[in-house]
């Protein structure tokens, strides 16, 4: 498991985080990362977990894919996400686009698991089913 860590963490204050996220999106100025990605050669499937922000990828995941996306070449990508009731938006398409921009050839992007954050306590069966489908 690898956590995506940004150098300048987002505020715990919703309004401040929203303002920052809107500015980052408008300027396409995504956060700088503070992490090291290990050698991924041993992995065939990469599970990408993220929250949906404004109907698309969160900015930390966008920054991760723009920085390390080439390392995902030849991998099966299994996206899973939480959202606040509006669905996955264009997030899976954005993953595909960013990986292509980074020169990664992706064998497969599986069907995404989308979990409504308000119903996460009732998602166990859906998660189990999705994991079995992805394997």
């Amino acid at each position: 498991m690898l956590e995506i860590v940004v150098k300048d963490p987002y505020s715990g204050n919703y309004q401040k985080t929203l303002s920052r996220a809107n500015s980052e999106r408008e300027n396409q100025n995504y956060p700088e990362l503070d992490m090291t990605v290990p050698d991924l050669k041993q992995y065939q499937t990469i599970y990408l977990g993220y929250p949906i922000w404004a109907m698309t990828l969160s900015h930390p995941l966008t920054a991760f894919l723009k920085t390390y996306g080439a390392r995902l070449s030849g991998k099966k990508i299994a996206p899973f996400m939480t959202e606040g009731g509006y669905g996955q938006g264009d997030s899976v398409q954005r993953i595909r686009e960013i990986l292509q921009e980074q020169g990664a050839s992706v064998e497969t992007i599986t069907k995404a698991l989308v979990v409504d954050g308000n119903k996460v306590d009732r998602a166990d069966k859906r998660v189990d089913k999705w994991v079995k489908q992805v394997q």
Side-chain angles (χ1 to χ4, degrees):
M1 189 177 323
L2 178 68
E3 178 183 6
I4 297 174
V5 179
V6 296
K7 278 195 177 181
D8 180 17
Y10 290 87
S11 171
N13 177 286
Y14 177 76
Q15 290 302 327
K16 287 181 181 178
T17 295
L18 181 61
S19 177
R20 175 179 169 185
N22 287 337
S23 174
E24 288 173 346
R25 184 176 40 262
E26 289 167 7
N27 298 308
Q28 294 189 7
N29 182 23
Y30 300 108
E32 189 175 350
L33 302 177
D34 187 18
M35 56 186 290
T36 304
V37 175
D39 184 0
L40 301 175
K41 289 179 186 166
Q42 63 185 322
Y43 303 105
Q44 297 174 338
T45 303
I46 304 296
Y47 294 82
L48 288 178
Y50 54 95
I52 295 295
W53 285 11
M55 299 297 296
T56 195
L57 292 178
S58 67
H59 299 172
L61 184 60
T62 299
F64 172 80
L65 292 172
K66 287 182 174 284
T67 304
Y68 298 107
R71 295 189 188 186
L72 303 182
S73 192
K75 308 293 184 190
K76 178 178 11 174
I77 306 298
F80 63 99
M81 68 211 71
T82 58
E83 50 84 20
Y86 296 100
Q88 70 185 25
D90 71 351
S91 67
V92 175
Q93 180 60 31
R94 286 292 297 139
I95 291 170
R96 185 180 315 280
E97 290 169 359
I98 294 168
L99 291 177
Q100 287 174 346
E101 289 169 7
Q102 299 307 309
S105 62
V106 176
E107 291 183 23
T108 304
I109 295 182
T110 70
K111 181 179 178 189
L113 172 65
V114 183
V115 177
D116 183 329
N118 300 310
K119 299 176 184 173
V120 71
D121 58 331
R122 295 175 272 173
D124 289 353
K125 288 181 184 176
R126 290 184 55 237
V127 171
D128 289 343
K129 181 179 177 183
W130 177 79
V131 168
K132 289 174 184 165
Q133 290 174 343
V134 169
Q135 293 177 336

